[in-house]
């Protein structure tokens, strides 16, 4: 095969539900491309008997399908090799989530599509939102229908184009009612089950949100590739800055209300390092509580590090394409603002550019910090203002004292200059104090120490006074600088302790999986990426590597890390090691759990079967002993009755032993299956034969119209027999047991309906637990294995067994099994 210059391009038509028109749109796309001269073939398309869809096939080249035989049945699949040999420019491939019948490679339709793409063939395909792996469990909760065929989200997200095929729920139900989706006999069941308005509305919203997320990813990638830093207001994104102070709850709720005003608005809470050492009211517990609040409101929490808080915050907001930024008000007074310059809020407003900044009032303002810098003891504004003040303040004091010359003596004047030097030292530290001390000494010498107007000193006492003045000024400045340095170190130590305490708490609670912990490490240290590698990374000096345990190590890419941050990073690595070990232990525990379950099974078996084994055994034995008695003459009727008793007892004992053996095989995973296409009518007669002669009548409806299921016939017979027996036992005299079936998508649902007392919703889970007899107080209703065994057998065949209320009273057991052939959708 010749070398491929580029991989093929993938276009996906995504639908919210069956019948919205994905296949029709896919074929229409193929026809338009063919009309433009593109070489297009139909690799695999299912029209499901829909006339308008079949008309779209006219004029398109169709690659013949490959026939495969599996468990005695014949199936048609896409002939992957034929398509590769044909090498079209574009291939139309339907049903991306389809599981390929064994006999060829690969096993999934989406894997076949990846082979075509790798060969340089463009692919146009279709898939429903319920088949996306990440939404599979959500869809099952909504529709109560389990989807066993799924596609990894990453496969669809990698598509070059994703087009949503949308249709309002009312329009889709009209299309269904007019017979444009299913055959007439299936319409009523579909409308009352899967195609309810609520189901379709929820599925439509899921599809819209998933596609919106995919579009947002593409937008972020485009902005990053083109170096676009400005805000594009495509959707509302509200970033709220929290510090761990008491005002955090107020800010979060306010930001959530702002985000809620726009449908689909995002809420992002961010906690960033402070470098000024102020952490009034901040605590790890408050941050944990506020994080929980953010997540409960549907937002996301981010923890970053940055010496310059305004810059770090605005850069984060711009990176996330935020449209609004929520801050708390500052409680600094005028004097503090004069000494420290502009505050965080004012600086952020200046840096925010297109981002709207909201300043929210609150009762208290807290300062947050996380790993403050240890390199500087003072902010830049004070480092600049200190020397300036050291020059200006002595000059201003000289001017004032010169205006009142004669009212103060030299000692008082020197003390005033000393006070000015101390004030400058408090503002700017040692350097500023030295500047002020030198300036004050020169001015004091020239203007106030005789001879005035000259830089000389006439008296020895004045020399001593000037020296004391210089020593006191320097000592005070050094003490202030040391105090600031220690305060900074204490602030950093406290921040490190709270960070590690929060991290350790999350590990202990088990709410941090390894990927989440790696992401938290990346955010905390402001790195571009963090990964867990099993070997050292060679040849990249910009990479930070920290051992985790064994050969594993954390690999961080991004900014250079100072030594102080590397020390904390080592603690993060230790926590990652704990998380990895926890995952390994959990895996080991999962392997042990089946053994424990088997032990519980054996214990329960011994406790439960003693009576149930003895009862039929004793009855049969008594009947046989009576027949063997030589001193009693039995009439023909009595003899037949005793034989019937013995036969019924042995049959009951045989069923019990078979159930126990099957349950044991299920628990041990040793049950052998022979799955093949099986129609319900094949197993129904034998299942009915197992019912007692006095059992209620079973009314079977609509069984001949449903397709065959993929099942093991003897096991399917056992499941149906158990369900019918259970329903017959609870059906009142004069009422029937209803057995009906319907098909949808790739599943067939078999329903057994009784009109008995039903099972309270709180007890339904226990109904499927082995050796549970709901409502039985005298051990007359059996060992309690029927429903448990039926569910186990159903799941072994790839199906499900669920219980729900029967409208008007009673219980409905629904057995869902995969169809042997695809059911038209």
């Amino acid at each position: 095969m010749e070398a491929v210059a580029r991989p093929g391009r993938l276009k996906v038509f995504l639908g919210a539900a069956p019948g919205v028109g994905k296949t029709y749109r896919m074929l229409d796309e193929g026809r338009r491309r063919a009309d433009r001269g593109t070489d297009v073939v139909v690799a695999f398309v299912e029209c499901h008997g829909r006339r308008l869809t079949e008309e779209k096939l006219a004029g398109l080249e169709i690659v013949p399908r490959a026939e495969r035989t599996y468990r005695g049945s014949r199936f048609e699949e896409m002939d992957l090799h034929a398509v590769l040999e044909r090498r079209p420019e574009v291939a139309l491939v339907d049903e991306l989530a389809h599981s390929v019948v064994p006999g060829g490679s690969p096993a999934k339709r989406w894997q076949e599509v990846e082979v075509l793409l790798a060969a340089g063939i463009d692919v146009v395909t279709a898939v429903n939102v319920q088949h996306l792996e990440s939404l599979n469990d959500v869809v099952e909760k909504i529709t109560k229908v389990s989807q066993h065929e799924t596609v990894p989200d990453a496969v669809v997200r990698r598509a070059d184009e994703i087009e949503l095929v949308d249709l309002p729920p009312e329009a889709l139900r009209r299309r269904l009612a007019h017979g444009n989706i299913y055959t007439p006999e299936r319409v009523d069941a579909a409308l009352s089950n899967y195609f309810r308005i609520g189901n379709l509305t929820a599925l439509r919203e899921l599809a819209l949100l998933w596609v919106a997320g995919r579009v947002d990813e593409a937008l972020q990638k485009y902005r990053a590739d083109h170096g676009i830093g400005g805000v594009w207001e495509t959707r509302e994104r509200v970033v709220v800055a929290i510090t761990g102070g008491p005002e955090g709850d107020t800010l979060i709720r306010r930001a959530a209300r702002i985000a809620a005003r726009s449908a689909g608005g995002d809420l992002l809470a961010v906690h960033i390092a402070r470098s000024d050492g102020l952490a009034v009211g901040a605590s790890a517990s408050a941050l944990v509580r506020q994080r929980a609040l953010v997540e409960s409101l549907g937002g996301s929490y981010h923890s970053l590090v940055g010496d310059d808080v305004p810059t770090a915050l605005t850069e984060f907001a711009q990176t996330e394409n935020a449209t609004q930024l929520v801050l708390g008000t500052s409680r600094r007074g005028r004097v503090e603002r004069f000494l420290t310059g502009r505050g965080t809020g004012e600086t952020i407003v200046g840096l925010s550019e297109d981002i709207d900044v909201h300043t929210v009032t609150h009762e208290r303002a807290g300062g947050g910090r996380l790993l403050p810098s240890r390199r500087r003891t003072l902010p830049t504004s004070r480092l600049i203002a200190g020397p300036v003040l050291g020059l200006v303040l002595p000059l201003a004091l000289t001017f004032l004292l010169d205006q009142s010359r004669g009212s103060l003596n030299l000692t008082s004047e020197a003390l005033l200059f000393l006070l000015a030097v101390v004030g400058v030292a408090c503002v700017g530290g040692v350097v500023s104090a030295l500047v002020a001390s030198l300036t004050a000494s020169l001015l004091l010498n020239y203007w106030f120490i005789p001879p005035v107007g000259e830089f000389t000193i006439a008296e020895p006492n004045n020399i001593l006074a000037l020296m004391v003045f210089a020593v006191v000024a320097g000592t005070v400045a050094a003490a202030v600088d040391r105090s600031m340095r220690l305060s900074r170190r204490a602030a950093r130590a406290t921040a490190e302790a709270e960070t590690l305490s929060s991290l350790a708490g999350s590990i202990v609670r088990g709410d941090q999986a390894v990927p989440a912990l790696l992401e938290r490490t990346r955010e905390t240290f402001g790195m571009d990426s963090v990964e867990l590698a099993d070997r050292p990374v060679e040849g990249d000096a910009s990479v930070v590597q920290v051992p985790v345990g064994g050969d594993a190590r954390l690999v961080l890419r991004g900014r250079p890390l100072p030594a102080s941050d590397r020390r904390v990073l080592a603690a993060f690595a230790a926590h990652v090691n704990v998380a990895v070990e926890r995952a390994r232990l959990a895996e080991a525990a999962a392997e042990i759990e089946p053994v424990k379950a088997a032990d519980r099974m054996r214990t329960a078996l011994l406790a439960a079967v003693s009576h149930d084994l003895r009862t039929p055994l004793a009855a049969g034995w008594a009947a046989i002993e009576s027949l063997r008695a030589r001193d009693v003459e039995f009439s023909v009727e009595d003899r037949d009755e005793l034989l019937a008793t013995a036969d019924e007892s042995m049959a009951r004992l045989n069923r019990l032993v078979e159930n126990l053996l099957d349950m044991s095989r299920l628990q041990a995973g040793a049950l052998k299956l022979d799955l093949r296409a099986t129609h319900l009518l094949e197993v129904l007669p034998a299942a009915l034969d197992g019912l007692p002669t006095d059992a209620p009548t079973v009314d079977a409806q609509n069984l001949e119209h449903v397709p065959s299921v993929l099942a093991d016939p003897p096991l399917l017979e056992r499941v149906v027999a158990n369900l019918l027996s259970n329903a017959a036992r609870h059906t009142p005299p004069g009422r029937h047991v209803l057995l009906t079936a319907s098909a949808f998508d790739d599943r067939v649902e078999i329903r057994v309906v009784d009109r008995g007392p039903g099972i309270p919703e709180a007890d339904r889970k226990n109904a499927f637990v082995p050796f549970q007899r709901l409502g039985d107080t005298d051990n007359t209703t059996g060992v309690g294995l029927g429903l448990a065994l039926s569910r186990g057998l159903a799941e072994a065949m790839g199906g499900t067994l669920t219980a729900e209320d029967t409208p008007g009273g009673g219980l409905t057991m629904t057995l869902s099994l995969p169809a042997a052939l695809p059911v038209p959708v």
Side-chain angles (χ1 to χ4, degrees):
M1 185 179 292
E2 61 181 10
V4 179
R6 65 163 181 86
R9 294 177 59 83
L10 176 63
K11 180 171 184 177
V12 177
F13 287 96
L14 179 66
V20 296
K22 305 179 303 300
T23 304
Y24 182 91
R25 293 282 292 277
M26 181 183 67
L27 292 173
D28 186 63
E29 173 83 5
R31 290 178 63 90
R32 288 192 294 104
R33 296 195 185 194
D35 292 341
R36 295 197 300 264
T38 305
D39 182 16
V40 180
V41 301
V42 177
F44 187 91
V45 165
E46 283 288 354
C47 295
H48 304 301
R50 298 166 188 166
R51 179 179 56 82
L52 295 177
T53 304
E54 291 174 344
E55 290 176 357
K56 282 292 180 180
L57 275 173
L60 291 174
E61 179 185 348
I62 301 176
V63 177
R65 300 183 181 183
E67 290 190 357
R68 296 178 185 172
T69 301
Y70 180 67
R71 298 188 183 277
S73 299
R74 300 187 65 81
F75 303 89
E76 290 185 344
E77 294 288 357
M78 180 177 73
D79 193 335
L80 179 60
H81 297 292
V83 178
L84 291 173
E85 291 179 0
R86 172 64 176 76
R87 291 196 58 80
E89 294 180 70
V90 179
L92 307 182
V93 182
D94 204 2
E95 298 184 350
L96 185 63
H98 173 68
S99 296
V100 180
V101 172
S105 178
K108 294 288 187 179
R109 178 68 47 76
W110 61 265
Q111 293 173 323
E112 293 182 320
V113 167
E114 289 189 330
V115 173
L116 296 177
L117 294 173
I121 300 173
D122 293 349
V123 175
V124 181
T125 186
V127 68
N128 279 329
V129 70
Q130 65 261 31
H131 294 297
L132 294 175
E133 182 66 40
S134 65
L135 300 178
N136 184 257
D137 56 339
V138 179
V139 173
E140 183 176 355
K141 290 179 181 178
I142 294 172
T143 63
K144 310 303 181 186
V145 175
S146 176
Q147 303 291 339
H148 294 273
E149 294 184 327
T150 60
V151 179
D153 288 48
V155 173
V156 183
R157 289 188 184 277
R158 286 199 300 266
D160 300 277
E161 296 180 60
I162 298 178
E163 184 173 328
L164 178 64
V165 183
D166 187 31
L167 197 65
E170 295 81 3
L172 182 57
R173 284 172 60 86
R174 285 196 300 270
R175 178 181 291 183
L176 178 64
H178 292 161
N180 295 331
I181 300 178
Y182 294 146
T183 54
E185 63 270 13
R186 299 179 59 199
V187 170
D188 290 340
L191 286 173
S192 60
N193 290 282
Y194 193 91
F195 284 81
R196 293 193 294 265
I197 286 288
N199 287 358
L200 297 179
T201 302
L203 291 174
R204 188 187 188 199
E205 184 173 1
L206 283 176
L208 291 170
L209 290 175
W210 193 92
V211 173
R214 169 60 168 77
V215 172
D216 186 59
E217 290 175 3
L219 177 61
Q220 296 291 2
K221 183 178 185 300
Y222 178 85
R223 283 163 48 86
D225 292 343
H226 291 77
I228 299 174
V231 176
W232 287 6
E233 299 183 13
T234 54
R235 62 190 296 185
E236 290 291 347
R237 282 187 176 84
V238 182
V239 172
V240 54
I242 59 176
T243 65
E247 78 285 353
D249 293 3
T250 301
L251 300 182
I252 292 169
R253 291 190 174 94
R254 176 61 172 162
R257 290 195 296 270
I258 294 174
R261 293 173 184 170
S262 172
D266 293 335
L267 172 65
L268 300 89
V270 58
H271 173 69
I272 300 183
R274 295 288 301 266
S275 61
D276 55 8
L278 299 178
V280 180
S283 69
S285 60
L287 286 173
V288 170
R289 187 186 69 254
Q290 290 166 9
R291 177 174 187 165
L293 176 60
V294 170
E295 293 174 348
S296 69
L297 294 173
S300 59
Y301 177 87
H302 306 265
S303 179
L304 310 179
V305 64
D307 290 337
D308 189 342
V309 175
T311 301
L313 184 58
T314 52
E315 287 180 351
F316 172 81
Q318 290 167 354
T319 301
E320 296 294 331
N321 199 27
T323 57
Q324 303 190 56
L325 189 56
V326 178
L327 309 172
T329 56
S330 174
R331 64 176 183 178
R332 298 185 310 150
R334 294 182 179 179
V335 175
E336 187 177 356
R337 286 199 298 270
F338 170 76
L339 294 177
T340 60
R342 292 197 306 172
T344 300
E346 296 172 345
T347 306
I348 289 174
V349 170
L351 298 174
S352 62
E353 297 180 355
D354 297 331
I355 303 175
D356 297 335
V357 179
H358 300 264
T359 304
V360 179
T361 59
H362 52 83
E363 294 182 358
R364 296 175 60 189
R369 79 273 187 250
L370 180 62
L371 306 185
S373 172
R374 300 174 62 180
R375 296 182 178 180
R376 293 186 325 201
T377 58
L378 292 173
T380 303
S381 59
R382 293 175 64 173
L383 291 175
I384 296 175
V388 174
L389 196 60
L391 293 173
V392 173
L393 190 57
L395 288 173
L397 181 59
T398 300
F399 176 77
L400 293 176
L401 292 178
D402 185 60
Q403 299 299 318
S404 59
R405 186 179 293 274
S407 60
L408 296 174
N409 58 24
L410 179 59
T411 301
S412 299
E413 292 168 342
L415 289 175
L416 289 176
F417 274 100
L418 180 60
L419 181 61
V421 172
V422 171
V424 173
C426 292
V427 174
V430 172
V431 175
S432 301
L434 292 176
V435 172
S437 177
L438 179 60
T439 304
S441 299
L442 293 175
L443 291 174
L444 190 62
N445 185 323
Y446 187 85
W447 286 100
F448 301 101
I449 296 179
V452 176
E454 297 181 14
F455 288 106
T456 59
I457 300 175
E459 299 182 9
N461 288 336
N462 293 337
I463 296 177
L464 179 61
L466 189 59
M467 292 177 59
V468 171
F469 172 83
V471 171
V472 170
T475 302
V476 170
V480 170
D481 184 76
R482 177 176 174 78
S483 175
M484 297 290 292
R485 192 183 303 275
L486 293 177
S487 175
R488 173 64 55 185
R489 291 178 179 176
R492 180 180 177 85
T494 303
E496 291 177 359
E498 291 183 355
T499 301
L500 297 178
S501 174
S502 175
L503 185 65
S506 64
I507 293 294
V508 171
R509 292 191 300 272
D511 57 3
Q512 287 281 351
V514 174
L517 193 55
L518 295 179
E519 177 62 17
R520 179 167 182 176
T521 305
R522 185 196 67 79
E523 290 183 344
T524 300
F525 294 95
M527 306 302 289
D528 295 334
S529 67
V530 177
E531 61 183 15
L532 187 62
D534 56 2
R535 62 177 60 89
V537 177
E538 304 293 345
D540 193 345
S542 64
V543 172
V544 179
Q545 303 186 54
V546 182
V548 172
D551 295 331
R553 58 194 60 239
L554 280 181
V555 179
L556 297 88
R557 294 179 173 86
R559 66 184 181 92
L561 287 180
S564 57
D565 281 357
R566 288 175 181 264
R567 180 168 55 84
V568 181
L569 181 58
F572 270 72
H575 285 298
V576 172
N577 186 35
V578 172
V580 171
E581 289 301 320
R582 180 186 290 273
R584 292 172 180 169
L585 290 175
E587 183 178 350
E591 295 176 354
I592 295 174
E593 186 58 34
V595 179
K596 295 172 60 179
D599 288 339
R600 291 194 297 267
M601 177 80 175
R602 284 190 291 269
T603 302
L605 175 63
L606 293 175
V609 304
S610 58
H611 175 276
D612 296 276
L613 285 173
R614 285 198 300 265
T615 300
L617 187 60
W621 199 341
I624 294 174
E625 286 295 321
S626 298
L627 290 172
R628 294 180 59 187
R630 299 182 181 276
D631 55 344
V632 180
E633 289 290 337
F634 293 103
S635 63
V636 175
E637 292 79 6
D638 292 338
R639 183 176 295 274
D640 290 340
E641 183 178 351
L642 290 172
L643 288 173
T645 299
D647 182 69
E648 182 180 350
S649 298
M650 293 303 103
R652 180 180 174 186
L653 185 61
N654 182 64
R655 287 195 301 270
L656 176 60
V657 172
E658 287 181 348
N659 284 344
L660 290 172
L661 290 176
D662 284 341
M663 180 59 71
S664 177
R665 294 189 189 102
L666 280 174
Q667 294 287 341
L671 187 66
K672 295 182 179 180
L673 300 177
D674 180 21
L675 299 180
R676 56 186 174 87
T678 306
H679 199 278
L680 184 58
L681 293 177
E682 298 177 28
V683 300
L684 182 59
L688 293 174
D689 289 342
L691 295 179
T693 55
D694 58 347
T697 303
V698 176
D699 183 11
Q701 299 180 5
N702 198 39
L703 302 186
E704 64 277 3
H705 299 299
V706 297
S708 299
V709 297
L710 195 61
D712 185 303
L715 297 186
L716 178 59
E717 175 193 327
R718 295 281 301 282
V719 174
V720 175
N722 282 342
L723 296 180
L724 291 174
S725 175
N726 185 72
R729 188 164 57 248
H730 295 94
T731 297
R735 305 298 295 268
H736 299 308
V737 174
L738 175 62
L739 176 63
T740 182
S742 62
F744 176 74
D745 200 3
D746 59 346
R747 313 290 291 179
V748 174
E749 292 186 348
I750 304 167
R751 295 179 177 84
V752 178
V753 184
D754 68 56
R755 294 293 179 178
I759 300 177
E761 186 172 356
D763 295 334
R764 286 178 193 166
K765 183 179 297 185
N766 292 332
F768 296 100
V769 177
F771 314 117
Q772 296 292 321
R773 304 180 179 92
L774 299 181
D776 175 30
T777 58
D778 56 2
N779 282 345
T780 61
T781 59
V783 74
L785 278 178
L787 292 181
L789 179 61
S790 297
R791 169 172 279 188
L793 295 176
E795 292 176 349
M797 294 185 291
T800 60
L801 180 62
T802 56
E804 59 186 18
D805 289 329
T806 300
L811 186 71
T812 297
M813 303 297 297
T814 302
L815 172 64
S816 176
L817 292 169
L821 293 174
V823 180
V825 295

